[in-house]
């Protein structure tokens, strides 16, 4: 069981890192929490939390977070 948990944590870490690079305007800790929350909700609901599913749902939520921020709050680049 420990190996499964380690694998899940490593998968989550890799997904969060990839998404943090993609969504650089979002705090990396928030990205990590988003990925962890998606994974936990899927597991709780009995949905197979495959890396592809977790990434897809987390990406949708992160896009929503970025788009919901008012223009005055966005970093200028």
């Amino acid at each position: 069981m420990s190996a499964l948990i380690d694998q899940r944590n490593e998968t989550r870490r890799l997904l969060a890192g990839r998404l943090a690079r993609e969504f650089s305007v979002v705090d990396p800790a928030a990205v990590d929490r988003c990925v962890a929350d998606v994974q936990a909700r899927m597991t709780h609901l009995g949905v197979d939390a495959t890396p592809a599913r977790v990434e897809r749902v987390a990406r949708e939520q992160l896009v929503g977070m970025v788009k919901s921020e008012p223009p005055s709050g966005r970093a200028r680049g």
Side-chain angles (χ1 to χ4, degrees):
M1 186 70 149
S2 178
L4 182 60
I5 291 171
D6 290 343
Q7 181 181 6
R8 180 187 290 172
N9 289 338
E10 179 65 14
T11 300
R12 188 180 78 216
R13 188 185 67 74
L14 292 172
L15 286 174
R18 185 166 49 245
L19 290 171
R21 287 187 297 279
E22 185 177 335
F23 293 91
S24 60
V25 297
V26 179
D27 179 27
V31 174
D32 187 55
R33 279 192 309 274
C34 178
V35 171
D37 289 348
V38 167
Q39 192 175 43
R41 282 194 314 268
M42 285 184 163
T43 301
H44 175 74
L45 294 171
V47 175
D48 187 16
T50 65
R53 286 181 180 160
V54 172
E55 184 173 2
R56 187 169 46 246
V57 173
R59 180 176 280 110
E60 288 177 11
Q61 289 186 351
L62 292 166
V63 166
M65 288 170 61
V66 170
K67 288 187 174 189
S68 70
E69 185 176 12
S72 61
R74 294 186 186 141
R76 298 184 196 272

